[in-house]
Amino acid sequence: MGREESGSWVTIGTFARLCRLSAKALRRYDELGLLPPALVDPVNGYRYYAEEQVETARLVAWLRRIGMPLNRIKEVVALGDPGAAAASIRDYWAQVEAETAARRDLAAFLADHLSAREAVGTLGPVGTLGIRYAARSVRGAVRERNQDAAYAGARLLAVADGFGAGGAGASAAAIDALKPVALGAAGAAGLLNVLEDAAERAVRAVRDAVAGSGADGEPEGSGTTLTAMVWNGAQLGLVHIGDSRAHLLRDGGLFRITHDHSAVQSMIDDGSLTEAEASSHPQRALLLRALVGGDDGGSAVPTPDERLQAPDERLQAPDARLRTPDVRLQEVRPGDRYLLCSDGLSAVVGGVETARVLAGADGPGTAVRELIALAVAAGGPDDVSCVVADVVSL
């Protein structure tokens, strides 16, 4: 052809100027199947683009500017429908903000921690702290068996909410995987390493448990949420994925310290749904992240294209992706009271009632019993699991 333009086709150089992408980027996007040219000259291999591709190319450029990975951009472009593409972009950005918040908290903690180290020359705590704890799990009114698991011990507090045919085994395996790891927690740096190790072990344990459960249906349809805290004698480290929750009662105020990995939470984050609307939304049970079964090729961290399937008992968003849990460090004070719970509690017992019980209970055991009693009195359709722990001066 050898022409700058041929009908409605333009050369890669002209197209690059129109869409503000480099020719190098366009060649890469062609190789990935993201933005193939309209025509490739069979003789000289020159790429030609249709003018109507400019809008798509500009969208790709904009999405790259917000940091969206190429495989996700490919999915957005393939949707075709502007409304669906807009929803996908909102979901992505809500996820970015949630993950950024977790990293920001960790960065702030590390900066404060190192500043304190420079000032006093030690990483050790002033005084001696301990925790007192209680845990309980009960089967929901409409469940044939309890797929939740709850555990409280001297080093580990954990709640897991299993789903699918192998959910009970998945929740138990996730918590069991953390028990030996928690024993190694020591110091701030040591605790961070323990949390990362715990997250990886939980991923592998759930995969293996579901694969070996003999459960009916595909293993990818079973899995669990996980919210756990590891105690090292001075600090608590958090491991979290799914929509089980961790709360902190401090100075009379109740604060949620986890972020739900759910479809409704992503809509709350992008402003398309309020907290009140979320409680009755038909997709309130859909998860965007969880620990699931299935073969990931032997890696603890699956490839970006792996997706959760829709299990029988715990509906999942079809575009949800398996990821390792969030990890972070939690600053503690004497008098803090922590609550870990499955959504069997949070879905039926409001924050005001939860705060009242936590503030008034004379100990973790009493708080656990009263909270579960409230969930049961409210109908308790789902399994209910609670762990309560107090930070005390010894």
Side-chain angles (χ1 to χ4, degrees), residues 1-16 18 26-27 30 35-54:
M1 293 182 180
R3 296 180 298 171
E4 179 68 12
E5 300 187 4
S6 178
S8 60
W9 297 331
V10 296
T11 64
I12 190 171
T14 299
F15 191 72
L18 289 173
L26 288 173
R27 285 191 289 269
D30 178 17
L35 193 62
L39 175 68
V40 177
D41 192 302
V43 177
N44 54 33
Y46 290 167
R47 293 173 172 87
Y48 294 87
Y49 291 82
E51 292 180 346
E52 55 266 26
Q53 290 182 280
V54 170

Side-chain angles (χ1 to χ4, degrees), residues 44 52 72 92 106 118 146 217 246 261 267 299 302 345 380:
N44 54 33
E52 55 266 26
R72 186 69 179 265
Y92 166 76
L106 179 57
E118 181 180 13
N146 190 352
H261 301 134
M267 289 186 277
S299 170
L345 176 72

Side-chain angles (χ1 to χ4, degrees), residues 84-128:
S88 182
I89 294 169
R90 291 191 188 99
D91 288 345
Y92 166 76
W93 194 249
Q95 179 184 346
V96 169
E97 290 183 327
E99 293 173 351
T100 300
R103 292 195 297 270
R104 181 187 63 234
D105 291 344
L106 179 57
F109 173 86
L110 291 173
D112 292 344
H113 194 68
L114 292 172
S115 297
R117 182 181 184 182
E118 181 180 13
V120 303
T122 178
L123 292 177
V126 177
T128 303

Side-chain angles (χ1 to χ4, degrees), residues 58-105:
R58 286 175 176 170
L59 174 61
V60 171
W62 293 330
L63 293 177
R64 287 297 288 161
R65 289 175 190 170
I66 68 171
M68 184 179 285
L70 290 175
N71 64 319
R72 186 69 179 265
I73 293 176
K74 188 175 180 180
E75 293 176 1
V76 172
V77 171
L79 288 171
D81 176 62
S88 182
I89 294 169
R90 291 191 188 99
D91 288 345
Y92 166 76
W93 194 249
Q95 179 184 346
V96 169
E97 290 183 327
E99 293 173 351
T100 300
R103 292 195 297 270
R104 181 187 63 234
D105 291 344

Side-chain angles (χ1 to χ4, degrees), residues 127-164:
T128 303
L129 299 176
I131 58 171
R132 295 174 181 160
Y133 46 82
R136 189 182 179 199
S137 182
V138 301
R139 180 172 60 86
V142 301
R143 300 298 190 191
E144 294 183 359
R145 57 175 177 165
N146 190 352
Q147 293 191 306
D148 278 9
Y151 177 84
R155 290 287 185 179
L156 177 66
L157 314 167
V159 165
D161 180 359
F163 53 83

Side-chain angles (χ1 to χ4, degrees), residues 235-289:
Q235 298 161 308
L236 282 166
L238 178 68
V239 179
H240 170 70
I241 189 167
D243 64 353
S244 295
R245 295 179 176 180
H247 295 82
L248 165 63
L249 183 74
R250 175 179 287 174
D251 298 330
L254 184 65
F255 309 94
R256 178 157 41 119
I257 58 174
T258 52
H259 192 84
D260 289 352
H261 301 134
S262 65
V264 294
Q265 185 64 58
S266 71
M267 289 186 277
I268 293 171
D269 293 340
D270 68 22
S272 60
L273 200 67
T274 66
E275 290 278 0
E277 292 168 337
S279 63
S280 59
H281 195 278
Q283 291 185 326
R284 61 187 178 277
L286 300 183
L287 293 176
L288 297 181
R289 292 170 62 183

